């Protein structure tokens, strides 16, 4: 059985205010979510970590494989009216949030589609809830606030106005980020950068990103 509720994604309508995005709660099936969380790789630093730097196994490995599979890609192509077949994917994993994270940004031009899958079992803090923003200078002017727990999926098309960010939070905050990007060179460059940054952070695990 698939770990992902692809039918829920299929039945979700893409939103266009203020840019193209969609949200699916419980995208990881509730009956398997706890098992995926158990296999989430142990992490001690903030920032984005390439899977190559982590112990990827069990249900978590299956999850990444499904996200990188043809069925998920086909649905994203359908929802965003895109052909992604020529573009590579890139994954990073996060385990902890620094209080300086979450500043408003749009993502880099090399990213075509951004996928965020939230892996926290619950979320009680006010901070750390990603907001779909209508501008680059007002964190309170948002169209939607995305709950970062329970296998919630957020997907958006990167553009010059794909502003997003969250209120400050410091502590455990698990999330998988997947991107379709413009070329393999982008993947190589970004993964090298994240590996280098993580190796430095092992000397100071909770330094700002």
């Amino acid at each position: 059985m698939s770990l992902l509720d692809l039918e829920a994604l299929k039945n979700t309508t893409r939103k266009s205010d203020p840019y193209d995005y969609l949200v699916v709660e419980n995208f990881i099936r509730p009956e398997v979510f706890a098992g995926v969380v158990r296999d989430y790789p142990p992490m001690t630093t903030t920032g984005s970590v390439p899977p190559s730097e982590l112990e990827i196994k069990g249900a978590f490995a299956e999850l990444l494989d499904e996200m990188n599979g043809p069925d998920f890609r086909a649905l994203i192509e359908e929802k965003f009216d895109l052909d992604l077949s020529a573009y590579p994917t890139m994954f990073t994993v996060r385990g902890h949030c620094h209080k300086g994270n979450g500043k408003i940004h749009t993502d880099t031009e090399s990213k075509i589609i951004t996928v965020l899958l939230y892996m926290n079992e619950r979320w009680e803090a006010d901070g750390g809830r990603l907001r779909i923003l209508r501008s680059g200078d007002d964190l309170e002017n948002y169209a939607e606030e995305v709950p970062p727990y329970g296998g919630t999926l957020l997907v958006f098309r990167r553009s010059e106005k794909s502003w997003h960010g969250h209120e400050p939070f410091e502590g455990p905050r698990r999330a998988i980020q997947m991107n379709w990007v413009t070329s393999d060179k982008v993947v190589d460059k970004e993964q090298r950068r994240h590996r280098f940054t993580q190796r430095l952070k092992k000397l100071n695990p909770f330094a700002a990103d």
Side-chain angles (χ1 to χ4, degrees), residues 50-176:
S52 61
E53 298 295 294
L54 298 168
E55 183 183 2
I56 306 298
K57 65 179 183 179
F60 189 80
E62 292 179 32
L63 176 67
L64 296 189
D65 286 343
E66 283 195 38
M67 292 176 71
N68 207 29
D71 294 340
F72 182 59
R73 190 190 78 190
L75 285 172
I76 298 301
E77 289 176 324
E78 176 185 327
K79 293 299 178 183
F80 290 88
D81 193 23
L82 288 170
D83 180 358
L84 296 169
S85 59
Y87 300 110
T89 55
M90 177 175 69
F91 284 85
T92 54
V93 184
R94 297 183 72 105
H96 295 272
C97 189
H98 186 273
K99 61 184 177 181
N101 295 154
K103 292 182 172 62
I104 297 174
H105 63 290
T106 61
D107 282 3
T108 60
E109 292 182 19
S110 60
K111 295 176 180 178
I112 301 164
I113 290 285
T114 292
V115 176
L116 292 166
L117 187 57
Y118 291 105
M119 300 293 297
N120 308 288
E121 294 181 88
R122 61 186 63 83
W123 198 265
E124 298 177 358
D126 292 331
R129 301 170 182 264
L130 196 76
R131 293 175 178 178
I132 302 298
L133 300 173
R134 294 192 171 94
S135 75
D137 57 9
D138 186 358
L139 197 56
E140 297 304 317
N141 185 13
Y142 59 93
E144 188 165 350
E145 188 174 68
V146 182
Y149 62 88
T152 298
L153 174 74
L154 167 64
V155 186
F156 64 86
R157 187 200 309 262
R158 191 272 165 194
S159 72
E160 293 304 315
K161 63 176 185 177
S162 56
W163 303 106
H164 55 284
H166 62 73
E167 292 282 2
F169 173 79
E170 188 165 24
R173 185 176 183 270
R174 292 174 166 179
I176 300 167

Side-chain angles (χ1 to χ4, degrees), residues 38-56:
R38 279 196 299 270
D39 289 338
Y40 202 93
M43 303 176 71
T44 59
T45 61
T46 61
S48 299
V49 184
S52 61
E53 298 295 294
L54 298 168
E55 183 183 2
I56 306 298

